[in-house]
Amino acid sequence: MSASIPASTTYASRAAANVPPRPRHSTTSGVPRNKDASARRFQLPSDNQGFTYLYMPCRLRRRYSETRKALSRIGLPSSRVLDVCYPVNGMVGILVHNDFVEEATMTLSENGISLFGDCDPNDPILLKDPKFDSDPEEVRKQTAIMIHQNRLLKLIQRLRSPIRLAVARSFIAQDWITQADHDTFFASGSVTENNSSSNPKRDTE
């Protein structure tokens, strides 16, 4: 599946026009996002609990911070995107709350970006490393599942406590991780208040 992604204004084009880049923090642009986040604290819990990965095309694998900035520029605030991943070359995935899926999909569509409608993160077709080529299909399936599970457990480790538990429950419900994986991971001391982050952003490839 392909998508037409409109070109956005770049720093180079701004510099060529001798126009200074917009300040990183804008009070005006930040108000609506902060207002929505504050309002959610006083709303009843959604009946649509859970989290979903949305997968879309990407031409290049950028640093995670760059991808988040690009998403924010088209209307997907970084505060609503819990994770950014690259399952395979030419594809980027973002983790969002189920309540945000419709809005995110509409925003992407308005920007000419089409989602991959049927993407299984456990599909062995995503194994592009040649060292897996000679493995039997069943072994490849188990390898794909293990890689995906390990990545999700590392994500849970980065999340702050309130969101971490909700995301973990959602992953278990979707059979992406097992209850045993979850219990072992938490019991091992891999996750503590001291090493949890206030946000899941990271900049390592």
Side-chain angles (χ1 to χ4, degrees):
M1 182 181 297
S2 61
S4 174
I5 305 178
S8 59
T9 303
T10 64
Y11 181 84
S13 64
R14 289 181 181 275
N18 198 28
V19 178
R22 186 175 57 185
R24 183 175 181 179
H25 298 291
S26 171
T27 302
T28 303
S29 62
V31 169
R33 182 166 51 195
N34 294 336
K35 180 179 178 181
D36 290 344
S38 297
R40 285 195 295 273
R41 298 188 180 195
F42 304 100
Q43 296 171 353
L44 292 173
S46 167
D47 293 330
N48 191 24
Q49 291 297 317
F51 300 85
T52 301
Y53 273 99
L54 303 178
Y55 298 96
M56 68 199 82
C58 68
R59 296 180 181 177
L60 296 173
R61 177 169 177 155
R62 301 289 189 182
R63 294 177 67 87
Y64 296 105
S65 58
E66 293 178 4
T67 298
R68 284 181 172 277
K69 288 178 182 178
L71 292 170
S72 181
R73 284 195 294 268
I74 65 174
L76 299 183
S78 193
S79 60
R80 305 301 298 273
V81 177
L82 295 182
D83 184 37
V84 174
C85 65
Y86 296 95
V88 69
N89 288 340
M91 177 190 296
V92 61
I94 60 174
L95 180 67
V96 299
H97 193 279
N98 287 344
D99 282 342
F100 189 59
V101 169
E102 183 176 353
E103 181 180 340
T105 302
M106 183 177 301
T107 298
L108 292 168
S109 178
E110 289 172 351
N111 285 273
I113 303 172
S114 300
L115 296 175
F116 292 115
D118 186 16
C119 180
D120 179 5
N122 290 324
D123 194 329
I125 197 173
L126 299 178
L127 297 177
K128 299 301 183 182
D129 193 322
K131 70 181 180 181
F132 301 123
D133 289 349
S134 60
D135 290 345
E137 187 63 15
E138 188 58 35
V139 173
R140 286 171 52 81
K141 289 180 180 179
Q142 292 304 315
T143 300
I145 291 173
M146 182 184 66
I147 291 174
H148 186 229
Q149 286 178 340
N150 288 341
R151 202 187 66 75
L152 295 182
L153 289 171
K154 289 179 181 179
L155 167 63
I156 293 172
Q157 183 178 2
R158 294 196 306 271
L159 296 173
R160 64 183 184 270
S161 296
I163 298 177
R164 176 198 303 155
L165 297 177
V167 170
R169 286 195 295 266
S170 178
F171 289 169
I172 292 171
Q174 297 178 76
D175 292 327
W176 285 348
I177 63 173
T178 66
Q179 184 67 51
D181 288 331
H182 171 275
D183 295 344
T184 300
F185 191 66
F186 277 73
S188 69
S190 296
V191 177
T192 66
E193 289 302 318
N194 290 333
N195 68 12
S196 64
S197 172
S198 60
N199 68 67
K201 304 172 191 176
R202 83 290 202 207
D203 241 353
T204 55
E205 292 296 336

